[in-house]
Each structure stands twice: as C-alpha cells, then as structure tokens.
Amino acid sequence: ASRAGEMINELAVAVQRKLTVGNLAAVIHAYPTWSTALQQVASEAAVAQFLAGTTGKIALGLSRWMR
C-alpha cells in the first residue's frame, strides 16, 4: 500500500506489546494522518467487540429500555 510506511511502526509496536484494539484506539494521534485512520478503525473494532460481549449486550438493552 502506498501509505503503509505511515502506519507500520505503530502496528509493529502494537503487535510487540500485545496491545488490544482498545489500547490502540486510546492513543492520542496527530490529526489528520493515516495513523488517525488506523486509530478510528481500531476504535470501531473495540466498540464492536464490546457490544458483542455480555456487558455490551446489557448496555444496549438498558439504552433501549431507557428510550
């Protein structure tokens, strides 16, 4: 990919440190960069993982109930 060099360092550190997508999403990034796009994708993945779990299902149920 033409912009892979802008993201590879961050991804290498994430793999080496066994970071979760939640950890990666929580990192502060300069804006706008391709790394910011990676952060946004990680944030979306972290939210999807949370919502797929038991706690996320409870949170969704409560939010629907409170409407």
Side-chain angles (χ1 to χ4, degrees):
S2 64
R3 304 277 182 185
E6 294 184 34
M7 295 185 278
I8 195 69
N9 294 329
E10 185 169 3
L11 291 172
V13 170
V15 169
Q16 180 185 23
R17 301 287 182 177
K18 296 181 172 61
L19 300 177
T20 66
V21 292
N23 296 136
L24 190 57
V27 173
I28 297 172
H29 292 77
Y31 186 81
T33 65
W34 285 95
S35 293
T36 302
L38 179 61
Q39 178 193 26
Q40 291 172 347
V41 168
S43 293
E44 291 174 16
V47 168
Q49 284 180 348
F50 171 77
L51 293 177
T54 303
T55 305
K57 290 176 184 175
I58 292 169
L60 282 174
L62 286 173
S63 69
R64 289 184 188 124
W65 180 70
M66 294 179 75
R67 289 184 190 175

